[in-house]
Amino acid sequence: MTESEVIVVGAGPTGLALSLALARYGVPSLVLDNGDGEVTARAARTCVLRPDTAAWLPSAPGAAVPAARWTSWRARRRRQTVHQKELDETTAPFHVEQHALERALRAALAQEKLARVMPGSHLDILEQDAAGVTAHTRPRSRDGGDGHGGGTWWRGSYLVGCDGARSTVRKLLGVPFAGRTAVERHAVAALRTRLPWESEALLDRDLDGGLSEVTARPLPGGVWRLDWLLPARGDLVTPEALLDRIHSTLAHWHRESGADGSGKGAAGGGRDAAASGPYELLDTGVHTSHQRLARRWRVGRAFLAGDAAHLVGALGVQSVDEGLRDAANLAWKLAVVWHETGGVRGPRVDRDAVDVVLDSYESERRGAVGSRLRAVDQALPLVRREGGGLRAILPGGGARTPLELLTDGHLGQGLLGSPAAYRSSPLAPARGAVDSVRVATQSGELVRDVPVIALDGERGRLRERLCGNGGELLVVLVAPGTGVWDSRHWLSAGIMPELAAAVGALPLKAELLVTEDYPGAAPHTVLVIRPDGHLVTALPAPRIAQLRACADALRGGPFTGAHSPASRDTRR
């Protein structure tokens, strides 16, 4: 047992992604898995991830995440297309089965020396003191019940509860989980079939047969996920009723497209199989969306993330994507504090600064999810009422039709889905401390993905350097023309030597990158970017003291201590 590990409770997507990000930052972690370590395949449980969220997931052979990317999103009402959005590589979300995502994350963690997963570990005791966290787990019996005797005590520096909606960590911390129950319900089916269109996601309202709303979204391997809107507190959906919905919906689409519907019959049942076309039913379920928000996300050395901290999902808002954003936000902050209090850069003496860094997780992420939930609450009666052509006005969202609002939620765009902007972050430089210049991205917003070149000549995309793949801070110089020259020719030219030396002397593990162009940026602009991809500020050419001020702000404020480049290099 090591006292320095970060204990992660829960082996779902959020917990596994958090552990992986910590390993990339050089922080050891232990994942307490309440299950048996096996991932159950459920084709009807899927995740829609924004491109920026998916960019830092595993991509190595054996750990890559299989996902479908849609070419467009189409919303129809009474057989008429009322809203269509073409998608490209910068806007198309990733649609992936959740079990495939979890398996990829587990495969990536198995390759990390600083991460380990302990299956069969049911948390039942959580204690804290000034130096760390103590957790006790009971083994799980083969029938899934709690085992008796032989429990294990674990000691770590911090603990993060990523253990889902019924979070044991949240209950042991005594944190209220206020909100609303059963805001929306959907009947769900995953089936392998051919629809009259390919690689296009469709939201269809007011179909024949009294179906109020159905969504069809493609997955890899010719699989489709279909969701039918149900009354929030209606009757149970029987297997027969679900099969009727499948046949009725598929028959409607094939009939409308002019297809003759001939085929070999449906694997899921024979009723009207010719009209509905052949299909293989893989999985079914009923998904209920709740709206809940934990009162606190940090209690001492313990944190909440993912569904343990919030429940979202109405109007297409994606809970797994929000959980992964929690992990990206928290991981680098824990890494900064861990390295400066107990790691190779420590010891750090300013506890107030440490608290500023750790408290910023709650203020940023809880504030962002809270705003999302308020927007959904405001939009819900507008979207679900009759009269799809009425205009709806939300604060800051402009005029949007109900189907446009649903598009925002499903695609991760607009008021219901776009990434948060941490404009009032506690980690922003003090007003007047830096001479910011205007670029297309405002301070606190997520940066655009642009081609970048590392100092060793390696070329790639900016998002590929985030979440531990590049460092705790990214510094990007906008230098037109560098893309056509070998890095050896411009490393020693102009402002590069001075800027490279300044980045190397920063009190964080920083990486200097070069890009030929960034939207709205003048030549020689320096972009200072957090490791979760949010812009700290844009500086006019190298401002060495101001660059240091940005790094200090991300650490909760300046403090004294020795931080040589050599000591930083020993971390990885």
Side-chain angles (χ1 to χ4, degrees):
M1 179 174 67
T2 171
E3 295 187 356
S4 65
E5 289 179 315
V6 174
I7 300 174
V8 179
V9 182
T14 301
L16 295 172
L18 175 63
S19 180
L20 179 61
L22 288 171
R24 290 170 172 173
Y25 290 120
V27 177
S29 64
L30 164 71
V31 180
L32 300 179
D33 181 3
N34 191 37
D36 58 6
E38 299 295 326
V39 179
T40 302
R42 288 292 310 275
R45 294 187 64 190
T46 69
C47 317
V48 179
L49 306 178
R50 283 181 47 86
D52 55 88
T53 308
W56 58 273
L57 293 176
S59 58
V65 182
R69 302 195 72 179
W70 312 330
T71 58
S72 68
W73 170 273
R74 185 160 49 104
R76 306 195 317 168
R77 188 167 188 263
R78 296 174 182 171
R79 303 188 181 187
Q80 299 296 317
T81 297
V82 296
H83 183 61
Q84 184 158 356
K85 190 175 185 67
E86 299 301 321
L87 304 172
D88 57 27
E89 64 177 9
T90 65
T91 58
F94 288 66
H95 192 199
V96 59
E97 294 168 326
Q98 183 167 321
H99 67 262
L101 173 61
E102 292 182 10
R103 285 173 177 168
L105 289 169
R106 285 177 180 268
L109 278 178
Q111 302 174 27
E112 294 287 349
K113 296 181 179 180
L114 293 178
R116 54 189 180 129
V117 181
M118 296 299 298
S121 299
H122 174 71
L123 179 72
D124 60 353
I125 298 175
L126 170 59
E127 300 173 348
Q128 300 189 58
D129 54 50
V133 180
T134 303
H136 182 268
T137 57
R138 297 195 308 269
R140 302 291 290 181
S141 61
R142 292 184 177 180
D143 61 3
D146 296 336
H148 298 282
T152 305
W153 289 96
W154 310 93
R155 180 70 174 175
S157 52
Y158 297 94
L159 182 143
V160 186
C162 305
D163 48 343
R166 296 181 175 87
S167 171
T168 299
V169 173
R170 189 184 64 243
K171 294 173 183 176
L172 291 175
L173 294 175
V175 175
F177 201 38
R180 300 166 57 195
T181 300
V183 178
E184 285 191 336
R185 285 198 313 153
H186 289 84
V188 183
L191 45 94
R192 183 174 285 108
T193 188
R194 292 192 65 178
L195 295 182
W197 61 91
E198 294 183 3
S199 65
E200 177 186 74
L202 172 71
L203 186 148
D204 215 349
R205 272 191 156 183
D206 299 330
L207 284 72
D208 296 343
L211 298 175
S212 62
E213 180 179 301
V214 60
T215 305
R217 293 171 288 180
L219 284 158
V223 177
W224 290 80
R225 170 171 167 164
L226 273 58
D227 292 63
W228 294 268
L229 181 66
L230 302 171
R233 292 176 175 82
D235 297 331
L236 295 176
V237 180
T238 64
E240 293 77 12
L242 185 54
L243 285 176
D244 285 340
R245 288 178 181 271
I246 295 173
H247 293 308
S248 176
T249 301
L250 295 182
H252 170 88
W253 287 334
H254 285 293
R255 183 170 59 251
E256 186 180 60
S257 69
D260 61 9
S262 62
K264 298 181 180 180
R271 288 172 296 178
D272 204 21
S276 64
Y279 70 89
E280 178 187 2
L281 184 59
L282 303 176
D283 192 20
T284 63
V286 174
H287 173 68
T288 302
S289 298
H290 307 283
Q291 300 273 91
R292 293 190 177 275
L293 188 65
R295 186 72 53 83
R296 300 178 64 186
W297 288 27
R298 180 198 176 195
V299 180
R301 289 176 171 267
F303 302 81
L304 299 174
D307 285 355
H310 51 75
L311 292 180
V312 298
L315 302 185
V317 177
Q318 297 298 318
S319 60
V320 172
D321 189 85
E322 290 288 357
L324 295 179
R325 295 183 202 183
D326 295 343
N329 187 287
L330 180 57
W332 73 267
K333 296 173 182 179
L334 284 175
V336 167
V337 171
W338 188 91
H339 285 295
E340 293 184 347
T341 57
V344 298
R345 290 207 306 256
R348 185 169 187 172
V349 297
D350 190 346
R351 289 302 311 178
D352 290 339
V354 169
D355 285 335
V356 168
V357 175
L358 298 181
D359 285 342
S360 71
Y361 165 67
E362 177 176 318
S363 73
E364 290 180 353
R365 289 302 302 150
R366 188 179 186 278
V369 175
S371 296
R372 184 91 69 222
L373 291 175
R374 287 191 294 273
V376 170
D377 280 340
Q378 292 170 339
L380 196 62
L382 301 171
V383 171
R384 294 306 179 206
R385 71 185 180 186
E386 293 297 325
L390 298 176
R391 305 296 289 185
I393 299 180
L394 295 176
R400 308 289 284 163
T401 67
L403 286 177
E404 287 172 334
L405 286 170
L406 279 172
T407 298
D408 288 345
H410 282 284
L411 296 183
Q413 300 174 355
L415 195 64
L416 298 186
S418 60
Y422 307 131
R423 295 191 179 93
S424 301
S425 171
L427 304 184
R431 185 181 298 273
V434 297
D435 300 323
S436 298
V437 294
R438 186 180 298 275
V439 297
T441 304
Q442 296 185 34
S443 296
E445 291 182 346
L446 197 68
V447 294
R448 310 282 182 90
D449 191 26
V450 295
V452 293
I453 308 173
L455 297 189
D456 61 2
E458 181 181 355
R459 296 170 184 260
R461 307 289 300 187
L462 178 54
R463 286 177 182 163
E464 296 171 355
R465 318 299 291 192
L466 301 176
C467 289
N469 291 320
E472 297 164 346
L473 182 67
L474 298 183
V475 179
V476 180
L477 172 66
V478 180
T482 51
V484 300
W485 298 99
D486 189 284
S487 62
R488 292 172 296 176
H489 297 295
W490 46 259
L491 272 176
S492 59
I495 62 176
M496 281 302 298
E498 179 187 15
L499 184 57
V503 171
L506 290 175
L508 295 174
K509 183 177 183 293
E511 181 178 29
L512 176 59
L513 303 169
V514 178
T515 184
E516 286 210 65
D517 183 53
Y518 188 88
H524 297 165
T525 297
V526 175
L527 306 173
V528 185
I529 304 170
R530 296 173 13 160
D532 57 358
H534 290 262
L535 182 68
V536 178
T537 192
L539 300 174
R543 298 286 195 273
I544 304 307
Q546 296 183 18
L547 185 60
R548 171 64 188 242
C550 292
D552 282 337
L554 293 181
R555 298 160 56 241
F559 67 96
T560 58
H563 305 287
S564 67
S567 67
R568 289 196 302 274
D569 290 342
T570 63
R571 290 174 43 194
R572 296 182 68 85

